[in-house]
């Protein structure tokens, strides 16, 4: 019977073409919307994770109390030893030492006199270590505007906007003024190996990225790190797993009451991030639910109209002696096959669109010139396993529902009245 019904669907274009087209469009748009919301929200969160907090962040308790001020005098001592401990406690997490700092950059002219000075915010990360993934987390190679990445100690990167403001070119030298871990003044010369553009105005205004060993030497922080960031093995932030890792680590250190004992926090603990995560989950779920519901109604109506158009056909089949239950079941089988065909086509088109936009993205940098939030300037839909099946929800379910409701009319047909209808 299934083979017979499939031939009817493929041969009778007037009966099946419109429902298949509607199902295809509904499935495709559902996949695109889900992937777009997941990608935009997820990349914004992941950007904050890569640049600032990690999925999990380990600090001293004293540092955690004033972490927004980057109090490096309260940093973790002997941090490489703590990293080894963390690798044993949580081997699935990638751990990276970092130092965040604020400083003053002095740019000299050709005579060595001050050409200009500006406040900068810096990241000290492992740029030169073998196998380090920090350059990839900051997307440095793709973000490079001029020059090259640091290849030896004493070299650093400046944001392109900062370099352009003071007329700095790769190969030039500048002085970084800061404070040491003990509270003294620090004056260190760096060579600009290249300039980068993060794509986020909040970062591009005045950023410095240097190797962590150079900053340790500059600020008298040998063997110390302000923070140790942990990155989970997921494309997007996994809130449940991050909270679990945080809980296990804090339970491990709970007995140590020293103010310089380590403490773990997750990305959710960043001020305002818990609300943002809840908001993004709520909005994403609400938008997808509303869209899927809307498409289900549209497809339901298509199935309903298709069933009503065949009202006379069902009467003839009943008059010829076919069982009403058999007609109803055949109608549902047709709806199922139509929904599957349209959903398969829609899924193929939707996945193709998602992959294409994920590769190229949509540049919105022109809309973010004065933005203060940390957001990507190129929006991309997310490539997730969900997109391979979410389009079948409105496609198959709504077709079945519409035809099921339309088919109820089959049981209301009275055989005694059929001959009068057929004569007319």
């Amino acid at each position: 019977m299934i083979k017979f019904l499939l031939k009817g669907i493929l041969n009778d274009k007037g009966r099946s073409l419109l429902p298949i087209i509607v199902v295809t469009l509904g499935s495709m748009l559902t996949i695109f919307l889900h992937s777009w919301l997941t990608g935009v929200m997820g990349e914004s969160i992941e950007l904050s994770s890569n640049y600032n907090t990690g999925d999990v962040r380990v600090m001293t308790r004293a540092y955690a109390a004033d972490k927004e001020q980057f109090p490096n005098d309260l940093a973790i001592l002997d941090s490489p030893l703590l990293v080894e401990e963390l690798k044993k406690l949580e081997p699935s997490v990638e751990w990276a030492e970092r130092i965040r700092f604020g400083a003053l950059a002095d740019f000299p002219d050709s005579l060595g006199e001050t050409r200009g000075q500006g406040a900068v915010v810096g990241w000290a990360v492992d740029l030169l270590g073998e196998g380090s993934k920090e350059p990839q987390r900051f997307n440095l190679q793709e973000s490079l505007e001029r020059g090259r990445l640091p290849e030896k100690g004493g070299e650093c990167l400046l944001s392109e906007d900062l370099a352009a403001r003071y007329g700095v070119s790769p190969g030039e030298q500048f002085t970084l003024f800061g404070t040491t871990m003990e509270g003294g003044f620090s004056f260190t010369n760096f060579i600009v190996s290249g300039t980068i553009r993060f794509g986020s105005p909040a970062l591009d205004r005045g950023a410095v990225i240097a190797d962590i060993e150079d900053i340790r030497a500059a600020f008298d922080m040998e063997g110390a790190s302000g923070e140790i960031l942990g990155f989970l093995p997921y494309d997007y932030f996994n809130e449940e797993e991050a909270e679990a890792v945080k809980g296990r680590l804090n339970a491990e250190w709970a007995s140590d009451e020293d103010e310089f004992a380590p403490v773990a926090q997750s990305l959710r603990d960043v001020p305002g991030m818990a609300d943002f995560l809840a908001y993004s989950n709520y909005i994403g779920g609400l938008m997808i639910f509303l869209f899927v519901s809307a498409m289900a109604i549209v497809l339901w109506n298509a199935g309903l109209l298709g069933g009503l158009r065949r009202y006379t056909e069902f009467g003839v089949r009943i008059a010829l002696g076919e069982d009403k239950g058999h007609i109803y079941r055949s109608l549902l089988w047709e709806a199922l096959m139509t929904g599957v065909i349209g959903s398969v086509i829609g899924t193929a088109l939707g996945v193709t669109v998602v992959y294409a936009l994920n590769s190229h993205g949509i540049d919105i940098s022109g809309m973010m010139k004065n933005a203060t939030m940390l957001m990507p300037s190129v929006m991309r839909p997310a490539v997730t396993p969900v997109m391979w099946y979410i389009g079948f929800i409105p496609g198959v379910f709504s077709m079945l529902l519409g035809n099921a409701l339309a088919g109820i009319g089959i049981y209301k047909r009275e055989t005694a009245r059929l001959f009068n209808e057929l004569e007319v």
Side-chain angles (χ1 to χ4, degrees):
M1 183 184 71
I2 295 177
K3 185 178 180 180
F4 175 77
L5 293 175
L6 182 60
K7 286 184 177 180
I9 292 172
L10 297 178
N11 293 330
D12 189 355
K13 300 296 191 300
R15 185 177 69 185
S16 60
L17 183 59
L18 179 60
I20 288 177
I21 291 175
V22 175
V23 170
T24 298
L25 293 176
S27 298
M28 182 179 69
L29 292 175
T30 300
I31 292 169
F32 175 76
L33 177 66
H34 174 269
S35 298
W36 180 259
L37 290 175
T38 302
V40 171
M41 295 294 188
E43 283 195 12
S44 298
I45 296 170
E46 197 65 18
L47 193 66
S48 179
S49 172
N50 286 339
Y51 287 174
N52 292 330
T53 63
D55 296 326
V56 180
R57 177 166 52 169
V58 176
M59 306 161 282
T60 65
R61 293 173 181 171
Y63 186 104
D66 297 306
K67 55 183 177 294
E68 291 82 8
Q69 302 177 20
F70 312 142
N72 288 322
D73 55 321
L74 306 175
I76 302 170
L77 301 178
D78 297 322
S79 58
L81 297 179
L82 181 56
V83 170
E84 293 302 318
E85 179 185 347
L86 290 169
K87 289 180 179 179
K88 294 178 182 178
L89 293 173
E90 298 292 339
S92 64
V93 182
E94 293 183 5
W95 299 98
E97 300 173 81
R98 287 189 186 174
I99 299 173
R100 295 292 309 277
F101 60 91
L104 182 69
D106 181 274
F107 302 98
D109 58 20
S110 58
L111 301 177
E113 300 295 332
T114 297
R115 179 197 322 172
Q117 292 182 340
V120 297
V121 176
W123 284 263
V125 300
D126 186 5
L127 293 179
L128 306 178
E130 184 177 354
S132 173
K133 294 185 178 180
E134 293 288 72
Q136 287 77 25
R137 291 191 183 103
F138 279 83
N139 200 31
L140 294 181
Q141 188 62 56
E142 290 75 13
S143 303
L144 197 64
E145 288 282 314
R146 294 182 289 160
R148 56 172 174 78
L149 299 183
E151 297 177 350
K152 58 184 180 180
E155 296 181 339
C156 72
L157 297 168
L158 294 183
S159 65
E160 175 63 24
D161 290 355
L162 177 65
R165 189 187 316 148
Y166 295 103
V168 180
S169 299
E172 295 186 12
Q173 182 175 280
F174 73 98
T175 302
L176 195 66
F177 293 84
T179 56
T180 68
M181 190 175 180
E182 302 298 329
F185 289 105
S186 169
F187 309 91
T188 308
N189 291 328
F190 283 92
I191 295 175
V192 179
S193 66
T195 64
I196 56 174
R197 188 179 299 280
F198 291 102
S200 173
L203 301 178
D204 286 331
R205 292 190 180 97
V208 175
I209 298 182
D211 185 68
I212 191 169
E213 294 300 332
D214 289 335
I215 297 300
R216 281 172 172 167
F219 297 156
D220 293 336
M221 296 180 64
E222 297 297 333
S225 298
E227 306 167 342
I228 300 175
L229 306 188
F231 299 92
L232 298 171
Y234 303 103
D235 292 334
Y236 294 104
F237 177 61
N238 188 316
E239 184 176 350
E240 292 76 15
E241 183 62 23
E243 289 295 317
V245 171
K246 181 189 79 170
R248 290 193 293 267
L249 292 178
N250 286 333
E252 179 73 21
W253 301 321
S255 59
D256 192 344
E257 299 180 357
D258 188 85
E259 67 173 338
F260 291 101
V263 63
Q265 295 183 350
S266 73
L267 179 62
R268 182 181 175 83
D269 296 318
V270 175
M273 187 56 72
D275 292 336
F276 180 75
L277 289 171
Y279 174 80
S280 63
N281 291 334
Y282 173 77
I283 292 298
L286 179 62
M287 291 297 293
I288 292 171
F289 172 77
L290 291 176
F291 187 80
V292 169
S293 299
M295 292 310 306
I297 293 173
V298 172
L299 295 172
W300 170 11
N301 288 331
L304 189 61
L305 292 174
L308 294 176
R309 188 176 65 84
R310 300 171 63 189
Y311 196 63
T312 302
E313 173 195 334
F314 297 146
V316 172
R317 292 168 65 178
I318 293 173
L320 293 174
E322 188 173 356
D323 180 65
K324 291 182 179 181
H326 183 269
I327 297 175
Y328 188 75
R329 288 192 297 272
S330 67
L331 181 67
L332 295 183
W333 274 109
E334 287 183 16
L336 177 61
M337 287 186 284
T338 300
V340 169
I341 292 171
S343 297
V344 168
I345 298 173
T347 297
L349 294 175
V351 168
T352 301
V353 172
V354 168
Y355 269 106
L357 285 178
N358 181 266
S359 299
H360 302 286
I362 299 177
D363 190 352
I364 61 169
S365 57
M367 303 167 57
M368 300 177 58
K369 292 182 179 179
N370 298 315
T372 57
M373 291 182 61
L374 190 60
M375 292 184 64
S377 61
V378 178
M379 299 296 189
R380 291 182 172 86
V383 176
T384 63
V386 177
M387 70 180 186
W388 292 99
Y389 62 82
I390 194 173
F392 285 82
I393 297 175
V396 175
F397 173 75
S398 57
M399 282 297 297
L400 281 172
L401 181 60
N403 281 271
L405 293 175
I408 294 175
I410 294 173
Y411 292 97
K412 296 181 180 180
R413 303 304 303 273
E414 297 178 6
T415 307
R417 298 179 56 188
L418 288 176
F419 292 101
N420 291 331
E421 294 179 4
L422 294 176
E423 288 176 2
V424 175

